Amino acid sequence: SAVISQKPSRDICQRGTSLTIQCQVDSQVTMMFWYRQQPGQSLTLIATANQGSEATYESGFVIDKFPISRPNLTFSTLTVSNMSPEDSSIYLCSALSNRWQYFNEQFFGPGTRLTVL
Amino acid sequence: SQQGEEDPQALSIQEGENATMNCSYKTSINNLQWYRQNSGRGLVHLILIRSNEREKHSGRLRVTLDTSKKSSSLLITASRAADTASYFCATDAANAGGTSYGKLTFGQGTILTVHP
């Protein structure tokens, strides 16, 4: 497995502003993903963060709203742009690696709890 | 896209009892993973079961998979108060060749409360 960290762990932001969330993995990984968990709900995949190229977004999520970077094999950022109260959620990054003992096991960071006022 | 469904939505038991949670899904999968989440924090990976496996054990956890019924169950034996959490199943869909996409679709989760 791997240790996945996220910064910040939580934030309270004003509507109309943007927040960038960082995700760091302690080893090189094959794939990284970003998920959203709205209050009282399950997790929904936002996008796959591709190393050195544009992220692949799921239906309902667009690059202008959730720009994602992945400059190398251990780091990714998610920006929540032009925020509204509806963006209040927990944002989680995850990773999996073909170097780990059990390929396909996907591990998650501790999440970033975002509140938009 | 497929959507996992879990039941029950909430389960309340006494310490020492067993807890069983069920998960159903709609399309072909490469694997199914179970996670635990404490009080809105990050997800803890519990166990992965592949589509060609029927049962898997890890400590007090037992997971079964029935691909013909598109369902899985998680059994926690001899539960403890510390097991109180939300439990999610997540399916990793398979492409035409059976390979994983790596993208997880989560069920709605079961909230487990274990009373001391």
Side-chain angles (χ1 to χ4, degrees):
Chain A
S1 63
V3 175
I4 303 175
S5 60
Q6 286 185 231
K7 289 195 297 187
S9 59
R10 60 177 61 226
D11 208 343
I12 301 173
C13 301
Q14 298 297 319
R15 71 171 65 209
T17 63
S18 298
L19 176 72
T20 295
I21 302 168
Q22 298 179 6
C23 179
Q24 179 74 54
V25 189
D26 69 346
S27 60
Q28 292 187 344
V29 294
T30 308
M31 302 182 77
M32 294 182 74
F33 305 90
W34 286 97
Y35 290 81
R36 180 178 72 181
Q37 186 177 26
Q38 295 177 299
Q41 302 296 313
S42 185
L43 282 78
T44 300
L45 178 64
I46 297 172
T48 304
N50 299 310
Q51 193 261 328
S53 64
E54 193 171 286
T56 305
Y57 290 84
E58 298 301 305
S59 176
F61 298 96
V62 295
I63 187 171
D64 290 346
K65 177 66 177 177
F66 297 102
I68 288 170
S69 77
R70 189 182 171 194
N72 56 51
L73 293 176
T74 64
F75 184 78
S76 178
T77 66
L78 167 74
T79 299
V80 186
S81 303
N82 189 24
M83 289 184 285
S84 67
E86 292 70 36
D87 294 320
S88 297
S89 296
I90 299 173
Y91 292 87
L92 301 102
C93 68
S94 70
L96 61 85
S97 172
N98 58 9
R99 294 186 180 85
W100 297 340
Q101 184 177 4
Y102 298 105
F103 184 42
N104 297 146
E105 280 190 340
Q106 194 164 139
F107 294 93
F108 283 78
T112 296
R113 184 182 292 271
L114 171 62
T115 302
V116 184
L117 303 177
Chain B
S1 62
Q2 65 180 13
Q3 177 67 52
E5 297 183 0
E6 292 182 61
D7 75 271
Q9 290 186 331
L11 181 60
S12 181
I13 59 174
Q14 295 296 129
E15 249 186 348
E17 295 180 341
N18 296 340
T20 300
M21 290 159 267
N22 302 296
C23 169
S24 63
Y25 56 92
K26 296 179 180 177
T27 63
S28 296
I29 63 170
N30 174 279
N31 64 80
L32 185 147
Q33 303 182 47
W34 284 90
Y35 291 88
R36 183 183 76 230
Q37 185 178 41
N38 293 85
S39 301
R41 297 179 185 173
L43 271 67
V44 174
H45 189 277
L46 296 177
I47 200 164
L48 178 152
I49 187 165
R50 302 194 185 284
S51 60
N52 61 355
E53 297 176 314
R54 292 297 166 256
E55 187 171 312
K56 211 163 180 180
H57 297 254
S58 177
R60 293 184 296 114
L61 305 180
R62 173 178 169 254
V63 169
T64 62
L65 179 65
D66 187 336
T67 53
S68 66
K69 295 181 179 178
K70 292 185 166 59
S71 67
S72 175
S73 68
L74 170 67
L75 168 67
I76 303 174
T77 60
S79 64
R80 306 165 181 166
D83 294 328
T84 295
S86 293
Y87 291 81
F88 294 93
C89 69
T91 52
D92 187 353
N95 61 21
T99 306
S100 160
Y101 285 110
K103 301 189 292 186
L104 297 180
T105 300
F106 281 80
Q108 291 306 302
T110 295
I111 300 172
L112 174 65
T113 303
V114 182
H115 300 279

